[in-house]
Amino acid sequence: MATTVTAKGQVTIPKPVRDFLGIGPGSMVDFKRAADGTIVLVPAENAKLQSRFARFRGHAKGGLSTDEIMALTRGE
């Protein structure tokens, strides 16, 4: 799978490679030199960028129902 390098030195990683490596938007990758001199692209360990909202996931437990929220907003 060949790809073209842009004037800024950027490349698009082909979708089959992204899928195989499990990388997506915001993922970090490392370039490592193999023993034979080739360069290998690997997902960076523990370096995946975290959404600024990620720390709030799973915190909304036992909240109000939709009807209760609507009653509060209507002043009932």
Side-chain angles (χ1 to χ4, degrees):
M1 288 178 258
T3 187
T4 304
V5 179
T6 69
K8 291 182 173 184
Q10 299 170 332
V11 296
T12 299
I13 302 169
K15 183 165 178 19
V17 175
R18 293 191 315 263
D19 291 345
F20 179 77
L21 294 174
I23 58 176
S27 294
M28 299 288 290
V29 294
D30 279 334
F31 295 91
K32 301 198 179 218
R33 187 183 310 199
D36 65 357
T38 59
I39 303 297
V40 180
L41 171 74
V42 295
E45 294 181 26
N46 300 324
K48 187 172 182 180
L49 292 178
Q50 192 176 50
S51 162
R52 62 183 164 175
F53 302 108
R55 64 185 168 150
F56 297 111
R57 287 190 183 125
H59 289 270
K61 296 181 176 123
L64 301 172
S65 69
T66 303
D67 291 332
E68 291 169 325
I69 293 170
M70 293 306 291
L72 285 172
T73 59
R74 293 181 183 135
E76 298 174 359

